[in-house]
Amino acid sequence: SSELTQDPAVSVALGQTVRITCQGDSLRTYYASWYQQKPGQAPVLVIYGKNNRPSGIPDRFSGSSSGNTASLTITGAQAEDEADYYCNSRDSSGNHLVFGGGTKLTVL
Amino acid sequence: QLQLQESGPGLVKPSETLSLTCTVSGGSISSSYYYWGWIRQPPGKGLEWIGTIYYSGSTYYNPSLKSRVFISVDTSKNQFSLKLTSVAAADTAVYYCAKHWFSSSWTQVDYWGQGTLVTVSS
């Protein structure tokens, strides 16, 4: 399968920890990358590879992977983390990119 | 700092061809290991990969769009372009150009243009 599946919506209390998941067969072969998108803005890469953060991304963002599931964890969620989050990987052929449907994170 | 900027018509008629260009600044489009692509997002919906090109001209397209998509690169202008033929209302979206980086075990889209809204309407 070339699809990546995400929960449509997740909520977290301010300062608590939240995990956003992404499932797909290709994740057994490839790591996911994760993107944060706020309204009216382009997505921003927050995690790539096994667990790498681009410069400027807070260390409360981390990534992990197990079997066909990739996870983005925000430890100590802040109000500014409220956004849509997308996972991305290659499909099983390795030649095509796929995105998950996105998860809307609400910080309560 | 690498920057990408989309340009092209914001309104396209049904059945016509959507054409967009992405201008890359702050770096060379011919850099090894950099791939360049297009991603779109219909209003209120998620991201959809359209296709990717390497400076040598190698292309990779979303199978669901492959029959209608053509991506080209002009290294002399540091630009790459998208053509999507036979458009319909479902092609209305914000179109992003982006830089990809491929490793053996992951892909990242690490630079994005600001996006340009293309509406398909008569």
Side-chain angles (χ1 to χ4, degrees), chain B residues 63-74:
Chain B
S64 69
L65 298 170
K66 186 176 182 178
S67 63
R68 300 194 291 129
V69 173
F70 179 71
I71 297 176
S72 60
V73 64
D74 187 336

Side-chain angles (χ1 to χ4, degrees), chain A residues 18-78:
Chain A
V18 63
R19 176 174 291 183
I20 298 170
T21 61
C22 174
Q23 290 188 304
D25 288 345
S26 65
L27 298 180
R28 298 183 186 278
T29 306
Y30 300 105
Y31 291 110
S33 292
W34 291 92
Y35 306 85
Q36 176 192 72
Q37 186 181 34
K38 297 181 179 179
Q41 298 182 17
V44 173
L45 178 69
V46 295
I47 291 290
Y48 64 94
K50 189 172 183 180
N51 181 19
N52 302 301
R53 283 176 290 106
S55 174
I57 301 302
D59 62 4
R60 63 179 179 272
F61 289 88
S62 63
S64 61
S65 182
S66 178
N68 73 336
T69 301
S71 300
L72 172 70
T73 300
I74 307 174
T75 304
Q78 302 299 302

Side-chain angles (χ1 to χ4, degrees), chain B residues 41-64:
Chain B
Q41 185 171 36
K45 296 188 178 180
L47 301 168
E48 179 181 34
W49 172 70
I50 299 171
T52 297
I53 191 166
Y54 192 53
Y55 77 91
S56 63
S58 298
T59 52
Y60 311 87
Y61 296 136
N62 185 324
S64 69

Side-chain angles (χ1 to χ4, degrees), chain B residues 21-114:
Chain B
T21 295
C22 182
T23 300
V24 178
S25 58
S28 172
I29 204 168
S30 302
S31 297
S32 296
Y33 309 117
Y34 290 180
Y35 290 73
W36 309 92
W38 293 92
I39 295 160
R40 70 180 183 179
Q41 185 171 36
K45 296 188 178 180
L47 301 168
E48 179 181 34
W49 172 70
I50 299 171
T52 297
I53 191 166
Y54 192 53
Y55 77 91
S56 63
S58 298
T59 52
Y60 311 87
Y61 296 136
N62 185 324
S64 69
L65 298 170
K66 186 176 182 178
S67 63
R68 300 194 291 129
V69 173
F70 179 71
I71 297 176
S72 60
V73 64
D74 187 336
T75 55
S76 68
K77 295 181 179 179
N78 230 33
Q79 295 177 332
F80 61 103
S81 298
L82 167 70
K83 290 189 185 300
L84 181 65
T85 64
S86 304
V87 298
D91 295 310
T92 293
V94 174
Y95 285 75
Y96 295 100
C97 63
K99 170 189 161 289
H100 310 331
W101 193 89
F102 288 84
S103 82
S104 59
S105 54
W106 80 84
T107 298
Q108 63 197 63
V109 183
D110 45 11
Y111 288 91
W112 298 70
Q114 66 184 25

